[in-house]
Amino acid sequence: MSTTAFSTTPTTDRPWVHEMVIIHRAFRREFTILPPLVREVGDGDTRRAATLAAAVRLVLGGLHHHHTGEDVVLWPALLERAAPSTGLVETMQAQHEAVEGHIEQVEPLLQAWEASPTTARGAELADLLDRLAAALLEHLDLEEREILPLAERHVTVAEWNSLGEQGVDEMDQKQLPIIFGAILEECTSEERRAMLAKLPFPVRLVLRTLGARQYRRYVTRVRGR
């Protein structure tokens, strides 16, 4: 986990890198919740398997977009401006590749399990998700501990904001209430206000009303509560 060496409250002159800690919480939570749920699916329960397969794909899609933004914006900026940390950035890039390798292994097994769920196949899928999570958590911990302080010093506000904007542009717009709901789930009131303040007012209104109800239904459907 992060030993915070950067501001946890937004400022106008430096990027608010704590935003990434908030986003990482959602990935940590979902990759903790989903594997046990997959293991619980009984033989032939295609309805439950379809629900969880969609949830897994949603999280994997969000992770892919998150990492793509870093690959396109963050790593090049740090390689250019934080030269003594070149080896660290290269380690982060290699970790992205390792995580993507796990993601590529998930989809074929996910498809097979969704079409014909068995407890054995579900256990295999859950084990693969656990391995993906282990690789991801190692990456997130290092990123929060070493990269975010560098980003706060060497990345502009506009560049940092473009990370999130690129991900939003590439996502299925129908999924945005679920994505934002997952990100906001464990926010403090201060963090929630800061995250929502980055969005246009009509979007904030939707997320606080229809989006919030949509996310609660999603949580009930996936987690069974």
Side-chain angles (χ1 to χ4, degrees):
M1 296 294 291
S2 171
T3 54
T4 304
F6 44 82
S7 175
T8 59
T9 56
T11 62
T12 57
D13 59 331
R14 299 307 310 158
W16 186 44
V17 298
H18 182 68
E19 174 186 12
M20 192 169 286
V21 175
I22 295 170
I23 293 170
H24 287 176
R25 282 181 204 150
F27 290 128
R28 285 189 169 97
R29 182 188 63 247
E30 297 306 313
F31 279 110
T32 298
I33 289 173
L34 287 171
L37 293 177
V38 168
R39 289 188 178 95
E40 292 172 359
V41 176
D43 293 344
D45 191 349
T46 54
R47 182 174 181 178
R48 181 63 175 156
T51 295
L52 292 178
V56 170
R57 290 192 181 98
L58 182 68
V59 176
L60 293 182
L63 180 60
H64 174 75
H65 293 312
H66 179 66
H67 279 181
T68 297
E70 293 177 341
D71 292 337
V72 172
V73 178
L74 187 55
W75 308 145
L78 292 180
L79 286 171
E80 178 184 351
R81 301 167 200 161
S85 302
T86 296
L88 175 61
V89 174
E90 290 174 348
T91 296
M92 302 302 290
Q93 292 172 316
Q95 289 179 340
H96 270 200
E97 292 178 4
V99 170
E100 286 297 320
H102 286 296
I103 291 175
E104 289 174 2
Q105 295 176 49
V106 167
E107 183 55 34
L109 184 54
L110 186 63
Q111 288 183 12
W113 174 74
E114 182 181 12
S116 181
T118 65
T119 53
R121 191 171 283 162
E124 184 181 359
L125 174 60
D127 288 346
L128 180 54
L129 291 172
D130 281 338
R131 292 194 294 274
L132 190 163
L136 176 63
L137 295 187
E138 179 184 7
H139 172 72
L140 300 184
D141 287 347
L142 182 60
E143 187 168 68
E144 292 174 11
R145 187 173 62 249
E146 303 291 345
I147 292 294
L148 295 189
L150 288 175
E152 188 177 50
R153 294 197 298 272
H154 296 291
V155 176
T156 69
V157 173
E159 287 169 336
W160 183 262
N161 290 341
S162 74
L163 287 170
E165 291 166 0
Q166 177 171 322
V168 169
D169 290 342
E170 293 179 356
M171 289 178 191
D172 182 344
Q173 299 301 297
K174 294 180 181 178
Q175 295 178 335
L176 288 181
I178 306 302
I179 295 291
F180 277 104
I183 291 170
L184 296 175
E185 181 175 334
E186 296 179 76
C187 281
T188 65
S189 56
E190 293 79 9
E191 289 171 340
R192 178 182 292 268
R193 282 195 295 269
M195 292 294 286
L196 290 172
K198 295 167 65 70
L199 303 171
F201 175 75
V203 177
R204 294 202 302 270
L205 182 61
V206 169
L207 290 178
R208 286 170 172 163
T209 54
L210 296 176
R213 289 195 290 273
Q214 184 177 342
Y215 184 65
R216 285 195 296 271
R217 290 195 297 269
Y218 170 83
V219 167
T220 300
R221 186 168 65 251
V222 172
R223 304 178 198 173
R225 58 176 176 83

